[in-house]
Amino acid sequence: MSVATSTSQRSFKQFALGSALMLGFALGACAPAEEEGASDTPSVYSGKATTGSAPLSDAEVLFDIGGQSFRAVTDAAGTFSVDFGNILGSAPPYIAGTLYKDGYLIQTINLSNSNGRVRGSDLLTTGPLGSQDVAILNPASSGPLYRITHLGDQNFTGSANSQLQVSSSGTRINVRLGPISKAQVAQYPAGLCLVLDVRGLENVAQPTRITLNSQSQNMNASASDGSFSRQSYCFTDVYSGDASRFNTLIIESGNNSSGTDYDDFEFINVTGSFSTAQPPRVFRIDAGDSSTWVADQAVSFDTVDATIYDSYPAQIDWSFGDDSPVLSVRNLDPVTHAYSKTGTFTVKAVARDASDQVLAQATLNLQIQPKHIAGASVGTITRASDNSLEISGRTDFKPINIRVTWPDGTVDEQYNVSTDTYTFKSASTAYEAGQISTLLYFNDTSLSPIRNYTAPARR
């Protein structure tokens, strides 16, 4: 294909940089920025490449036009000159090339071509690759897919938006992305954006599509005057950390409804970069059945429905709302916590990445109930000589608090009962036979089952 000439068979040193990934967003404007760069010789394009304020040496400036490659290498001062010779007479009014050096962001160079004279910015600025950058690999070489590519069936009229630089490579291109780590997916959970400069792309019956793995999008029409337009498409279906699953990029030319005429267009400098945006996340806490929310009993907490899992958080910090210390776990396993008091507590889970940035958080309110005291004595109820009621029994737990509720709702309580037996006598003598009184044991966190007592006949 036209993007792969022998001169592009150079080592792609980014792969030797370990976790530092390759290729970022190309810098600079897509249409010619300034009417500069014109030399005394109309067919010569001259300029200077820098990184920050420093000159960029040993970088390649490359243009492919009409089956020929025109290149220059920047010198120690970052300067270069490219002589297009007589090719400009048959070249389109806008031409594009690239500034390329291993370990740096690749920049698209846009030039205007009028009457055999080229113009464009004479200052090209780039910077080093970042951890968010991902390689788009040229299938015909070991380097990146940055040279110009023409897709279509070569059936076009040569109108302004169809004056193209190179011959068609077919109607479809299928390439792989460079390695993507789990750490990258964790750091950039919003997904991967693919950027390319495009010209000659029209809206046809069957639109041109760009696809990453299982996700596909319609591409936008480019500028009608034949200049290059910067386009960006973002995807969330990204594989990571598995050498057997490659991330595959497909660009396929659109066609008319009968599939007999394909759109001819060109693109250059396909780059990939993870989005730094932080999207909303699905993240909530599960504490199981509320019947387990009992004092002095371990409650299990987990995070569920969590798209955060795809982002590999470094830790989750749990706070339980009861003044206990924050519990930090380095995995996504459930945690347990026991409450020593009854009441309402707010549980909070905070997921953080390796740099301690918050990825997501969730809260849950729990109503902790007293636990039941098993084996409380049955006791007895009797009618006193004055027709008051008496409830008595043995204490199974000492010390303990005991509460009696009489038939009219009057409550009597005894606190910290430490004797072997207890007796409650009602103040009222008006209770009738068959009316119900209740008794239970209780403390700050525990509660016995309620015992019912039926009033005996009056004397």
Side-chain angles (χ1 to χ4, degrees), residues 277-306:
Q278 292 292 327
R281 301 184 182 270
V282 181
F283 188 61
R284 68 179 178 86
I285 298 171
D286 179 26
D289 193 320
S290 60
S291 65
T292 64
W293 302 352
V294 176
D296 293 330
Q297 178 175 310
V299 181
S300 180
F301 299 94
D302 198 1
T303 52
V304 297
D305 294 341

mmCIF file of all heavy atoms in Angstrom, residues 277-306:
data_model
loop_
_atom_site.group_PDB
_atom_site.id
_atom_site.type_symbol
_atom_site.label_atom_id
_atom_site.label_comp_id
_atom_site.label_asym_id
_atom_site.label_seq_id
_atom_site.Cartn_x
_atom_site.Cartn_y
_atom_site.Cartn_z
ATOM 1 N N ALA A 277 -10.661 12.658 30.410
ATOM 2 C CA ALA A 277 -11.929 12.968 31.071
ATOM 3 C C ALA A 277 -12.276 11.880 32.076
ATOM 4 O O ALA A 277 -11.850 10.734 31.956
ATOM 5 C CB ALA A 277 -13.046 13.094 30.030
ATOM 6 N N GLN A 278 -13.054 12.235 33.080
ATOM 7 C CA GLN A 278 -13.510 11.281 34.083
ATOM 8 C C GLN A 278 -15.018 11.107 33.932
ATOM 9 O O GLN A 278 -15.792 11.962 34.359
ATOM 10 C CB GLN A 278 -13.171 11.770 35.494
ATOM 11 C CG GLN A 278 -11.693 11.784 35.792
ATOM 12 C CD GLN A 278 -11.101 10.391 35.855
ATOM 13 O OE1 GLN A 278 -11.764 9.444 36.274
ATOM 14 N NE2 GLN A 278 -9.855 10.246 35.440
ATOM 15 N N PRO A 279 -15.473 10.015 33.318
ATOM 16 C CA PRO A 279 -16.911 9.847 33.079
ATOM 17 C C PRO A 279 -17.645 9.442 34.348
ATOM 18 O O PRO A 279 -17.038 8.988 35.320
ATOM 19 C CB PRO A 279 -16.936 8.687 32.070
ATOM 20 C CG PRO A 279 -15.740 7.863 32.446
ATOM 21 C CD PRO A 279 -14.684 8.863 32.864
ATOM 22 N N PRO A 280 -18.974 9.613 34.362
ATOM 23 C CA PRO A 280 -19.751 9.106 35.501
ATOM 24 C C PRO A 280 -19.591 7.600 35.620
ATOM 25 O O PRO A 280 -19.393 6.899 34.634
ATOM 26 C CB PRO A 280 -21.200 9.472 35.130
ATOM 27 C CG PRO A 280 -21.081 10.504 34.068
ATOM 28 C CD PRO A 280 -19.807 10.220 33.340
ATOM 29 N N ARG A 281 -19.701 7.107 36.837
ATOM 30 C CA ARG A 281 -19.488 5.680 37.056
ATOM 31 C C ARG A 281 -20.682 5.071 37.786
ATOM 32 O O ARG A 281 -21.377 5.746 38.530
ATOM 33 C CB ARG A 281 -18.232 5.444 37.880
ATOM 34 C CG ARG A 281 -16.990 6.011 37.228
ATOM 35 C CD ARG A 281 -15.798 5.639 38.054
ATOM 36 N NE ARG A 281 -14.614 6.218 37.471
ATOM 37 C CZ ARG A 281 -13.866 5.620 36.562
ATOM 38 N NH1 ARG A 281 -14.184 4.428 36.135
ATOM 39 N NH2 ARG A 281 -12.799 6.203 36.089
ATOM 40 N N VAL A 282 -20.884 3.790 37.535
ATOM 41 C CA VAL A 282 -21.895 3.026 38.258
ATOM 42 C C VAL A 282 -21.176 2.363 39.424
ATOM 43 O O VAL A 282 -20.325 1.504 39.226
ATOM 44 C CB VAL A 282 -22.544 1.967 37.347
ATOM 45 C CG1 VAL A 282 -23.597 1.197 38.107
ATOM 46 C CG2 VAL A 282 -23.142 2.639 36.122
ATOM 47 N N PHE A 283 -21.504 2.785 40.637
ATOM 48 C CA PHE A 283 -20.751 2.325 41.796
ATOM 49 C C PHE A 283 -21.662 2.410 43.011
ATOM 50 O O PHE A 283 -22.101 3.489 43.389
ATOM 51 C CB PHE A 283 -19.525 3.227 41.981
ATOM 52 C CG PHE A 283 -18.551 2.757 43.038
ATOM 53 C CD1 PHE A 283 -17.914 1.544 42.922
ATOM 54 C CD2 PHE A 283 -18.259 3.565 44.121
ATOM 55 C CE1 PHE A 283 -17.002 1.141 43.874
ATOM 56 C CE2 PHE A 283 -17.346 3.166 45.075
ATOM 57 C CZ PHE A 283 -16.714 1.950 44.952
ATOM 58 N N ARG A 284 -22.010 1.291 43.615
ATOM 59 C CA ARG A 284 -22.854 1.322 44.801
ATOM 60 C C ARG A 284 -22.405 0.261 45.786
ATOM 61 O O ARG A 284 -21.632 -0.641 45.444
ATOM 62 C CB ARG A 284 -24.331 1.135 44.435
ATOM 63 C CG ARG A 284 -24.700 -0.234 43.907
ATOM 64 C CD ARG A 284 -26.194 -0.302 43.606
ATOM 65 N NE ARG A 284 -26.603 -1.576 43.055
ATOM 66 C CZ ARG A 284 -26.927 -2.631 43.786
ATOM 67 N NH1 ARG A 284 -26.903 -2.559 45.102
ATOM 68 N NH2 ARG A 284 -27.290 -3.770 43.204
ATOM 69 N N ILE A 285 -22.900 0.380 47.009
ATOM 70 C CA ILE A 285 -22.520 -0.520 48.098
ATOM 71 C C ILE A 285 -23.647 -1.511 48.340
ATOM 72 O O ILE A 285 -24.823 -1.136 48.380
ATOM 73 C CB ILE A 285 -22.221 0.270 49.381
ATOM 74 C CG1 ILE A 285 -21.049 1.220 49.153
ATOM 75 C CG2 ILE A 285 -21.941 -0.663 50.542
ATOM 76 C CD1 ILE A 285 -20.819 2.184 50.302
ATOM 77 N N ASP A 286 -23.289 -2.765 48.534
ATOM 78 C CA ASP A 286 -24.250 -3.798 48.905
ATOM 79 C C ASP A 286 -23.898 -4.296 50.301
ATOM 80 O O ASP A 286 -22.752 -4.694 50.551
ATOM 81 C CB ASP A 286 -24.204 -4.953 47.894
ATOM 82 C CG ASP A 286 -25.185 -6.060 48.256
ATOM 83 O OD1 ASP A 286 -26.184 -5.753 48.930
ATOM 84 O OD2 ASP A 286 -24.948 -7.223 47.872
ATOM 85 N N ALA A 287 -24.866 -4.265 51.208
ATOM 86 C CA ALA A 287 -24.641 -4.740 52.578
ATOM 87 C C ALA A 287 -25.501 -5.950 52.902
ATOM 88 O O ALA A 287 -25.711 -6.280 54.070
ATOM 89 C CB ALA A 287 -24.911 -3.618 53.570
ATOM 90 N N GLY A 288 -26.003 -6.625 51.870
ATOM 91 C CA GLY A 288 -26.771 -7.840 52.091
ATOM 92 C C GLY A 288 -28.154 -7.573 52.658
ATOM 93 O O GLY A 288 -28.680 -6.463 52.626
ATOM 94 N N ASP A 289 -28.770 -8.619 53.207
ATOM 95 C CA ASP A 289 -30.115 -8.548 53.773
ATOM 96 C C ASP A 289 -30.104 -7.673 55.022
ATOM 97 O O ASP A 289 -29.242 -7.805 55.883
ATOM 98 C CB ASP A 289 -30.589 -9.963 54.128
ATOM 99 C CG ASP A 289 -32.077 -10.017 54.421
ATOM 100 O OD1 ASP A 289 -32.587 -9.078 55.074
ATOM 101 O OD2 ASP A 289 -32.729 -10.986 54.012
ATOM 102 N N SER A 290 -31.086 -6.779 55.137
ATOM 103 C CA SER A 290 -31.141 -5.882 56.290
ATOM 104 C C SER A 290 -31.349 -6.626 57.602
ATOM 105 O O SER A 290 -31.092 -6.068 58.671
ATOM 106 C CB SER A 290 -32.248 -4.841 56.106
ATOM 107 O OG SER A 290 -33.514 -5.470 55.981
ATOM 108 N N SER A 291 -31.778 -7.884 57.540
ATOM 109 C CA SER A 291 -31.938 -8.661 58.770
ATOM 110 C C SER A 291 -30.593 -8.937 59.431
ATOM 111 O O SER A 291 -30.532 -9.309 60.605
ATOM 112 C CB SER A 291 -32.657 -9.979 58.471
ATOM 113 O OG SER A 291 -31.867 -10.804 57.629
ATOM 114 N N THR A 292 -29.492 -8.764 58.655
ATOM 115 C CA THR A 292 -28.154 -8.983 59.231
ATOM 116 C C THR A 292 -27.583 -7.714 59.847
ATOM 117 O O THR A 292 -26.483 -7.751 60.398
ATOM 118 C CB THR A 292 -27.188 -9.489 58.149
ATOM 119 O OG1 THR A 292 -27.020 -8.461 57.154
ATOM 120 C CG2 THR A 292 -27.721 -10.736 57.478
ATOM 121 N N TRP A 293 -28.313 -6.600 59.744
ATOM 122 C CA TRP A 293 -27.803 -5.338 60.281
ATOM 123 C C TRP A 293 -28.129 -5.256 61.769
ATOM 124 O O TRP A 293 -29.028 -4.545 62.202
ATOM 125 C CB TRP A 293 -28.411 -4.159 59.533
ATOM 126 C CG TRP A 293 -28.163 -4.182 58.046
ATOM 127 C CD1 TRP A 293 -27.348 -5.030 57.349
ATOM 128 C CD2 TRP A 293 -28.765 -3.330 57.080
ATOM 129 N NE1 TRP A 293 -27.387 -4.758 56.009
ATOM 130 C CE2 TRP A 293 -28.245 -3.703 55.804
ATOM 131 C CE3 TRP A 293 -29.662 -2.275 57.141
ATOM 132 C CZ2 TRP A 293 -28.618 -3.072 54.630
ATOM 133 C CZ3 TRP A 293 -30.038 -1.628 55.971
ATOM 134 C CH2 TRP A 293 -29.515 -2.022 54.742
ATOM 135 N N VAL A 294 -27.389 -6.008 62.543
ATOM 136 C CA VAL A 294 -27.650 -6.179 63.970
ATOM 137 C C VAL A 294 -26.385 -5.845 64.746
ATOM 138 O O VAL A 294 -25.273 -6.165 64.307
ATOM 139 C CB VAL A 294 -28.096 -7.630 64.271
ATOM 140 C CG1 VAL A 294 -28.280 -7.851 65.758
ATOM 141 C CG2 VAL A 294 -29.398 -7.935 63.531
ATOM 142 N N ALA A 295 -26.547 -5.212 65.892
ATOM 143 C CA ALA A 295 -25.402 -4.830 66.705
ATOM 144 C C ALA A 295 -24.599 -6.053 67.142
ATOM 145 O O ALA A 295 -25.148 -7.153 67.332
ATOM 146 C CB ALA A 295 -25.874 -4.046 67.929
ATOM 147 N N ASP A 296 -23.278 -5.829 67.276
ATOM 148 C CA ASP A 296 -22.344 -6.879 67.716
ATOM 149 C C ASP A 296 -22.316 -8.073 66.771
ATOM 150 O O ASP A 296 -21.969 -9.188 67.173
ATOM 151 C CB ASP A 296 -22.673 -7.354 69.136
ATOM 152 C CG ASP A 296 -22.421 -6.262 70.164
ATOM 153 O OD1 ASP A 296 -21.522 -5.438 69.931
ATOM 154 O OD2 ASP A 296 -23.129 -6.241 71.190
ATOM 155 N N GLN A 297 -22.690 -7.849 65.532
ATOM 156 C CA GLN A 297 -22.678 -8.917 64.532
ATOM 157 C C GLN A 297 -22.053 -8.373 63.255
ATOM 158 O O GLN A 297 -22.362 -7.270 62.823
ATOM 159 C CB GLN A 297 -24.105 -9.395 64.263
ATOM 160 C CG GLN A 297 -24.210 -10.471 63.201
ATOM 161 C CD GLN A 297 -25.634 -10.989 63.081
ATOM 162 O OE1 GLN A 297 -26.267 -11.350 64.077
ATOM 163 N NE2 GLN A 297 -26.151 -11.003 61.866
ATOM 164 N N ALA A 298 -21.131 -9.146 62.658
ATOM 165 C CA ALA A 298 -20.406 -8.682 61.469
ATOM 166 C C ALA A 298 -21.367 -8.487 60.296
ATOM 167 O O ALA A 298 -22.155 -9.369 59.965
ATOM 168 C CB ALA A 298 -19.318 -9.676 61.098
ATOM 169 N N VAL A 299 -21.286 -7.319 59.679
ATOM 170 C CA VAL A 299 -22.042 -7.002 58.464
ATOM 171 C C VAL A 299 -21.061 -7.023 57.297
ATOM 172 O O VAL A 299 -19.973 -6.457 57.380
ATOM 173 C CB VAL A 299 -22.719 -5.627 58.566
ATOM 174 C CG1 VAL A 299 -23.524 -5.332 57.302
ATOM 175 C CG2 VAL A 299 -23.601 -5.547 59.805
ATOM 176 N N SER A 300 -21.427 -7.684 56.204
ATOM 177 C CA SER A 300 -20.554 -7.789 55.037
ATOM 178 C C SER A 300 -20.899 -6.702 54.020
ATOM 179 O O SER A 300 -22.072 -6.485 53.703
ATOM 180 C CB SER A 300 -20.695 -9.167 54.385
ATOM 181 O OG SER A 300 -19.855 -9.273 53.254
ATOM 182 N N PHE A 301 -19.854 -6.017 53.517
ATOM 183 C CA PHE A 301 -20.041 -4.944 52.541
ATOM 184 C C PHE A 301 -19.282 -5.280 51.261
ATOM 185 O O PHE A 301 -18.171 -5.807 51.297
ATOM 186 C CB PHE A 301 -19.521 -3.615 53.089
ATOM 187 C CG PHE A 301 -20.211 -3.147 54.335
ATOM 188 C CD1 PHE A 301 -19.685 -3.438 55.586
ATOM 189 C CD2 PHE A 301 -21.388 -2.423 54.261
ATOM 190 C CE1 PHE A 301 -20.314 -3.013 56.738
ATOM 191 C CE2 PHE A 301 -22.035 -1.996 55.406
ATOM 192 C CZ PHE A 301 -21.499 -2.291 56.659
ATOM 193 N N ASP A 302 -19.896 -4.941 50.128
ATOM 194 C CA ASP A 302 -19.260 -5.182 48.836
ATOM 195 C C ASP A 302 -19.661 -4.050 47.889
ATOM 196 O O ASP A 302 -20.641 -3.343 48.126
ATOM 197 C CB ASP A 302 -19.704 -6.539 48.268
ATOM 198 C CG ASP A 302 -18.776 -7.053 47.172
ATOM 199 O OD1 ASP A 302 -17.779 -6.361 46.865
ATOM 200 O OD2 ASP A 302 -19.056 -8.126 46.624
ATOM 201 N N THR A 303 -18.887 -3.869 46.806
ATOM 202 C CA THR A 303 -19.255 -2.920 45.753
ATOM 203 C C THR A 303 -19.777 -3.714 44.567
ATOM 204 O O THR A 303 -19.137 -4.673 44.129
ATOM 205 C CB THR A 303 -18.048 -2.071 45.330
ATOM 206 O OG1 THR A 303 -16.947 -2.918 45.013
ATOM 207 C CG2 THR A 303 -17.654 -1.121 46.441
ATOM 208 N N VAL A 304 -20.926 -3.314 44.052
ATOM 209 C CA VAL A 304 -21.565 -4.052 42.958
ATOM 210 C C VAL A 304 -21.971 -3.098 41.848
ATOM 211 O O VAL A 304 -21.949 -1.886 42.009
ATOM 212 C CB VAL A 304 -22.796 -4.836 43.460
ATOM 213 C CG1 VAL A 304 -22.402 -5.885 44.463
ATOM 214 C CG2 VAL A 304 -23.813 -3.881 44.071
ATOM 215 N N ASP A 305 -22.365 -3.680 40.699
ATOM 216 C CA ASP A 305 -22.724 -2.904 39.513
ATOM 217 C C ASP A 305 -21.643 -1.873 39.218
ATOM 218 O O ASP A 305 -21.925 -0.738 38.866
ATOM 219 C CB ASP A 305 -24.056 -2.184 39.705
ATOM 220 C CG ASP A 305 -25.215 -3.159 39.820
ATOM 221 O OD1 ASP A 305 -25.067 -4.320 39.405
ATOM 222 O OD2 ASP A 305 -26.254 -2.744 40.326
ATOM 223 N N ALA A 306 -20.393 -2.271 39.371
ATOM 224 C CA ALA A 306 -19.310 -1.294 39.372
ATOM 225 C C ALA A 306 -18.521 -1.327 38.074
ATOM 226 O O ALA A 306 -17.685 -2.180 37.865
ATOM 227 C CB ALA A 306 -18.384 -1.541 40.557
#
